[in-house]
Amino acid sequence: MPTAGHAHAAGDPGGLVLRDVEAVDLPSIVALDHRLTAVAKPDYWRATIERYGGGPPDRFFLVAETPDGALAGFVIGEIRAWEFGAPPAGWIFAIEVDPDARLAGIGTRLFDAICARFRTSGVDRVRTMVDRKDHLILSFFRSQGLTAGPSIELERLIDQGAGAP
């Protein structure tokens, strides 16, 4: 499993450290996600750490760690180019903060840190998708300045006919 060979760490006066994910973070990430989603997904998180931890320069998986070494949150994103004709952009596909640590700016620190990585990699915009019923995460991203983009998501059940209601 790759480790954070290109680790970037940044501290703050409160002692929070932002750094690249490492394999040793797996149990804490699985536990936080399970706590937030009520679904345990250890295989998913193991594979995600392998793909994004210390991986290609267009993939980012950052963790926020408290001074005592506890996981406070994480963010994952990557640069995607020309999907649906869109020019390169940074995409955030996961951000989670320990509920006991919320309203302390940790989500904003993680968002700013991954945007800095996107900017350094040459993209000038960030995108994400959220469940329209998830007001917490929708409010978070709006507080970071994100608004509706140029695309909308469409879907249907594969086994449902095109003419079915």
Side-chain angles (χ1 to χ4, degrees), residues 3-127:
T3 60
H6 64 284
H8 301 272
D12 74 356
L16 188 72
V17 172
L18 301 183
R19 61 172 174 76
D20 291 308
V21 71
E22 298 177 6
V24 297
D25 297 315
L26 178 63
S28 299
I29 289 167
V30 170
L32 176 59
D33 181 64
H34 185 213
R35 186 170 164 207
L36 295 175
T37 67
V39 179
K41 299 172 278 216
D43 294 339
Y44 168 79
W45 289 113
R46 181 177 301 103
T48 301
I49 289 173
E50 289 174 0
R51 278 194 313 266
Y52 288 84
D58 59 346
R59 294 180 180 172
F60 309 100
F61 192 151
L62 307 175
V63 298
E65 189 175 73
T66 65
D68 63 355
L71 179 73
F74 63 86
V75 64
I76 310 169
E78 66 184 350
I79 296 172
R80 297 179 186 167
W82 307 119
E83 292 179 336
F84 310 103
W91 277 86
I92 294 174
F93 66 86
I95 187 165
E96 293 187 2
V97 173
D98 184 323
D100 295 333
R102 288 185 181 159
L103 300 178
I106 295 169
T108 297
R109 292 273 320 273
L110 288 164
F111 180 84
D112 289 346
I114 201 164
C115 285
R117 299 281 181 97
F118 292 149
R119 188 178 309 104
T120 298
S121 297
V123 298
D124 66 354
R125 69 192 63 230
V126 61
R127 293 187 169 122

